[in-house]
Amino acid sequence: MASVFTYDPDPPKVSSPWLSPSSSISRLVADSGAEDPIELGSPRPAMLADCGITKLEAEPQDGPTEYKLHILLRPRRSFSALSTVQHVSGSYQSKLHSHRSQAPLILKKERSSSVPVPTSQSRQNRLQNLTTQLLWRLQQSSPYHSSSTANLVLPVLPEESSKVGGPAGPGRLLPGLEESRGALYEIGVSDDGTFVGLTADEMEESLTNLRAMAASLGCKVEVLRTVIVGDCEWVEKINSKKKKKPHKLRTEQLWVAEALVLPDLGLRKQNTIVTLGVTGINPNHAPSGDRTPLSQDTESQTEQLRVSLTGSTTSGKSSLIGTLSTSTLDNGRGKSRLSLLKHRHEIASGVTSSVAPELIGYRNLSMRDGDTTMGTEVVNYASGNVSSWNDIHSAAEDGRLVFVTDSAGHPRYRRTIIRNLVSWAPHWTICCVAADDDEDDGGRIGATASAEEIFGSAGAGVNLSKAHLELCLDLGLSLVVVITKLDLASKTGLRQTLAKVLSTLKAAGRPPVMLSTTSKEHQDFQSQSLADSEEDEIRRMLASVGGEKADMLVPIVLTSAVSGTGIGKLHALLRHLPIPPPVRPKVSPISADITSGLPGAPPVSLFHIDEIFEKSNTQMHSIQGVNGPSAGQLLILSGHMRYGVFSVGEELLVGPMALDT
């Protein structure tokens, strides 16, 4: 179950092992006289002697730093000499390396031919494993410890990208990586920190694969440093009949590189061009680098429904949301609501005083052909591998997401009640009315408190449940009435409660629709799949009035968070409630110089701010010792986008502001 415990306020920092903590060097750029192998503004190469170190510290098992001998999808060539190391522990090529060996050339030929050629399947499997490892390293530097269950868009083999469909550029950012500070890759370095090095073509191929891996996760790669650590020799076979000698001795430098993988937060910018091809270490090996426009379809197409809950205090609102979001039955004392409460005093008193959001997802179950729909599955914290909102977003892809907000019900929190009903423009409002609202339970555990118990003698004759219902009707909200605590009500008490609700709806001119409830519903409560009969009933109800008048209907559902009665019916209702069309911009009294348009013209975009949060600026994407830490506070605005589109880097006007009179 997701909670504050899935958040780490101080995740591991992305710190370069090349620099000491006291170092103030921003980038390693040394004029060694060597040929500049990196293009597009990357750092110039340096000699290892200029760095003042002979090896790095051993690779940490946890954290966002990864050491890789190489990121090749094939075995390395057989070298006749390496100036760096003779044997690297853990390398499957270690048996092929010897220090300045004088073996005959024919022996080298036999050794090279003995290396098995990997199949396309084995290479693809290695690429998949490397991508999964990169995802884990990126999650290590994220404050949100969520394990997204989304199907990874795994990269295809780079040389086959023109034949097989694969990511043409950085794809859609994987949910959960938005807050990642990145992952640092040391390429050409063994796990114990020894510099092994790669030739120019091997380093280029490794960077190409790393960028393909990063692109599949919606990330980008920045090469921070390249260092020459040695040289090597190998025997190359020459396929030419004119040459007398079929072999040639080649000599080249060995390189290590440090690359930073970061989430690409600029993917939403339109007309962005990204490069999948990687410029290589050696210009002679540099690929052409296909440039493909970024796909405009980077936004989620999943339906999003906003629902607010209101009702009298102790009417069971929080317990109902807790049961819907966790599939956990309540014990009559508020067990299911514990994950929803924000404050200690709410847990102690059992009275909600704030607005608490929760997320529920619904995904379509399809046959193997992918076209035939079998039914609907509920995605909540009871689903497998779901621990946060990120996982629900991913699992409910192309289905529906329902954002539900709980609110206070006590009259002393009346401003919070109004805010929950109107601030974020909910599509539908659920008014909870306790089934035992008109009964005198005499202090029974879990019973609904009467107005006299709340206000004393001043509450005589006051009906809080009716007041909440009339408030929703006066505001003209699309309404659903949920009768809660069905397990506590007698037949007489339930009849009185329903009569009160129906008479109030009739007086407001809103037609009610009673949904059927059976006593056997709770037997299938643990199932995450919705019953076909429940979904069919909701579809028939909505079809009977047509789409335009559906918001005038007031469905009534009988539920119990203790027995599970009606919970499946309520899930089916949330899955199929119609979403009204977007709000059209209205004429604005804001002056023309503020709207950058004609007087009275509506703003191009409008965002209603609901809450303001502060966040330390040190959690922004930075690498200690490379980009340098930054200080200060960042503001995060929470609210509702009424209409329009915001882009990264856009300047916005924040109100309140002077209006034309």
Side-chain angles (χ1 to χ4, degrees):
M1 181 186 305
S3 67
V4 294
F5 301 109
T6 63
Y7 178 82
D8 183 3
D10 189 21
K13 294 182 179 180
V14 183
S15 179
S16 173
W18 288 82
L19 303 175
S20 62
S22 60
S23 176
S24 60
I25 301 176
S26 61
R27 281 185 182 273
L28 179 61
V29 181
D31 188 6
S32 61
E35 180 184 3
D36 188 354
I38 305 290
E39 298 180 1
L40 298 179
S42 298
R44 299 171 63 185
M47 301 298 294
L48 184 59
D50 301 329
C51 302
I53 58 175
T54 57
K55 64 179 298 186
L56 301 178
E57 294 183 356
E59 177 193 50
Q61 293 185 357
D62 298 325
T65 303
E66 177 71 24
Y67 292 3
K68 281 294 181 187
L69 286 174
H70 59 79
I71 312 180
L72 303 176
L73 305 180
R74 56 172 176 82
R76 294 188 66 185
R77 63 169 57 92
S78 176
F79 295 96
S80 57
L82 285 173
S83 64
T84 53
V85 295
Q86 179 178 1
H87 177 85
V88 180
S89 177
S91 171
Y92 64 88
Q93 285 292 321
S94 59
K95 295 182 179 180
L96 300 179
H97 298 164
S98 60
H99 184 65
R100 302 294 180 182
S101 173
Q102 302 298 326
L105 295 182
I106 188 64
L107 178 59
K108 295 300 178 183
K109 177 181 177 181
E110 293 175 355
R111 286 185 177 181
S112 299
S113 60
S114 64
V115 178
V117 178
T119 63
S120 176
Q121 182 63 32
S122 63
R123 295 167 67 239
Q124 186 64 48
N125 290 340
R126 172 167 166 77
L127 187 59
Q128 176 178 345
N129 295 335
L130 290 172
T131 305
T132 304
Q133 186 181 53
L134 172 60
L135 172 61
W136 184 79
R137 288 294 184 184
L138 288 168
Q139 291 174 337
Q140 288 289 294
S141 65
S142 175
Y144 297 97
H145 295 169
S146 59
S147 54
S148 177
T149 57
N151 293 328
L152 299 181
V153 183
L154 295 173
V156 296
L157 300 179
E159 64 271 21
E160 296 180 359
S161 58
S162 60
K163 301 178 182 179
V164 182
R172 182 178 167 191
L173 188 63
L174 198 70
L177 295 184
E178 297 87 352
E179 296 290 332
S180 174
R181 302 180 188 179
L184 198 63
Y185 268 64
E186 306 293 339
I187 305 176
V189 182
S190 65
D191 291 345
D192 62 356
T194 302
F195 297 121
V196 179
L198 299 175
T199 59
D201 61 325
E202 292 175 335
M203 182 62 72
E204 177 195 9
E205 186 176 343
S206 294
L207 290 174
T208 300
N209 295 336
L210 180 61
R211 297 207 180 196
M213 292 154 46
S216 67
L217 302 177
C219 299
K220 58 185 179 181
V221 177
E222 178 183 358
V223 179
L224 301 180
R225 73 183 77 245
T226 55
V227 180
I228 301 172
V229 296
D231 56 84
C232 62
E233 293 180 358
W234 76 92
V235 177
E236 186 177 275
K237 182 178 180 181
I238 301 176
N239 296 322
S240 176
K241 296 181 179 179
K242 298 181 180 180
K243 299 290 183 178
K244 296 182 180 180
K245 296 182 179 180
H247 299 88
K248 180 182 179 181
L249 185 64
R250 294 286 303 272
T251 302
E252 225 181 87
Q253 293 175 324
L254 291 173
W255 302 78
V256 297
E258 184 177 60
L260 179 64
V261 183
L262 285 174
D264 193 348
L265 301 180
L267 288 177
R268 292 179 174 86
K269 293 183 179 180
Q270 297 183 353
N271 302 323
T272 301
I273 304 297
V274 292
T275 304
L276 239 209
V278 181
T279 54
I281 293 293
N282 192 319
N284 297 329
H285 299 284
S288 59
D290 298 332
R291 290 180 175 264
T292 306
L294 180 67
S295 171
Q296 301 298 326
D297 187 20
T298 58
E299 297 294 334
S300 172
Q301 302 301 315
T302 306
E303 292 181 350
Q304 296 186 5
L305 179 72
R306 301 188 301 275
V307 178
S308 292
L309 263 71
T310 188
S312 174
T313 183
T314 67
S315 61
K317 301 183 299 298
S318 302
S319 297
L320 179 63
I321 295 181
T323 300
L324 289 172
S325 61
T326 64
S327 296
T328 301
L329 291 176
D330 191 56
N331 61 354
R333 296 176 176 85
K335 171 186 174 183
S336 63
R337 70 183 178 187
L338 291 179
S339 63
L340 197 66
L341 301 180
K342 286 184 175 181
H343 307 291
R344 186 184 299 273
H345 69 83
E346 293 179 332
I347 300 176
S349 65
V351 177
T352 304
S353 62
S354 59
V355 176
E358 195 50 272
L359 180 64
I360 305 170
Y362 300 94
R363 100 178 128 203
N364 299 324
L365 299 177
S366 304
M367 299 287 287
R368 292 184 178 180
D369 56 10
D371 298 328
T372 306
T373 302
M374 298 174 56
T376 303
E377 181 182 359
V378 179
V379 181
N380 57 19
Y381 300 125
S383 305
N385 297 324
V386 171
S387 61
S388 69
W389 281 22
N390 293 329
D391 301 327
I392 297 177
H393 270 272
S394 303
E397 188 75 26
D398 299 327
R400 170 174 283 195
L401 292 170
V402 180
F403 296 89
V404 187
T405 56
D406 185 23
S407 178
H410 198 286
R412 90 167 60 119
Y413 305 116
R414 52 189 175 275
R415 287 183 295 181
T416 302
I417 297 173
I418 299 297
R419 171 187 162 203
N420 183 50
L421 291 177
V422 300
S423 65
W424 72 318
H427 296 129
W428 288 81
T429 300
I430 294 179
C431 184
C432 295
V433 179
D436 63 338
D437 189 56
D438 291 327
E439 296 188 44
D440 184 9
D441 294 300
R444 183 179 176 185
I445 295 178
T448 304
S450 64
E452 293 186 15
E453 292 175 345
I454 298 174
F455 298 112
S457 59
V462 177
N463 193 311
L464 293 178
S465 296
K466 185 178 180 181
H468 280 269
L469 182 58
E470 289 177 341
L471 175 62
C472 296
L473 295 172
D474 292 341
L475 292 174
L477 304 176
S478 300
L479 189 62
V480 175
V481 175
V482 174
I483 307 298
T484 59
K485 301 186 178 182
L486 191 61
D487 55 292
L488 293 180
S490 63
K491 292 184 179 180
T492 302
L494 177 60
R495 188 180 300 110
Q496 293 175 353
T497 300
L498 288 176
K500 175 182 63 179
V501 171
L502 293 174
S503 61
T504 305
L505 295 176
K506 182 179 179 180
R510 299 287 291 271
V513 178
M514 285 288 300
L515 298 179
S516 62
T517 302
T518 61
S519 58
K520 296 182 179 180
E521 286 187 16
H522 67 278
Q523 296 179 0
D524 299 329
F525 175 75
Q526 297 299 331
S527 175
Q528 292 293 103
S529 300
L530 299 182
D532 294 338
S533 59
E534 295 174 340
E535 293 193 86
D536 291 340
E537 182 180 357
I538 302 300
R539 293 190 186 99
R540 289 194 302 268
M541 177 197 69
L542 297 175
S544 63
V545 296
E548 298 180 357
K549 298 181 180 180
D551 59 343
M552 294 299 297
L553 279 180
V554 181
I556 301 177
V557 187
L558 306 181
T559 65
S560 171
V562 174
S563 65
T565 301
I567 299 299
K569 189 65 60 65
L570 186 54
H571 272 303
L573 187 62
L574 293 175
R575 174 63 181 91
H576 294 286
L577 280 176
I579 300 177
V583 177
R584 294 183 179 181
K586 297 180 180 180
V587 175
S588 173
I590 302 175
S591 59
D593 58 335
I594 295 179
T595 60
S596 301
L598 299 175
V604 178
S605 301
L606 181 61
F607 181 83
H608 287 173
I609 300 175
D610 186 52
E611 288 188 88
I612 301 177
F613 302 92
E614 290 187 359
K615 180 179 180 182
S616 173
N617 200 13
T618 57
Q619 294 184 6
M620 293 299 291
H621 293 154
S622 62
I623 170 173
Q624 183 178 356
V626 177
N627 294 334
S630 55
Q633 293 291 324
L634 297 175
L635 294 181
I636 300 177
L637 305 181
S638 172
H640 169 57
M641 188 79 180
R642 291 289 288 179
Y643 56 80
V645 177
F646 287 163
S647 302
V648 177
E650 184 176 353
E651 294 185 1
L652 305 175
L653 177 66
V654 179
M657 60 201 69
L659 304 178
D660 290 340
T661 57

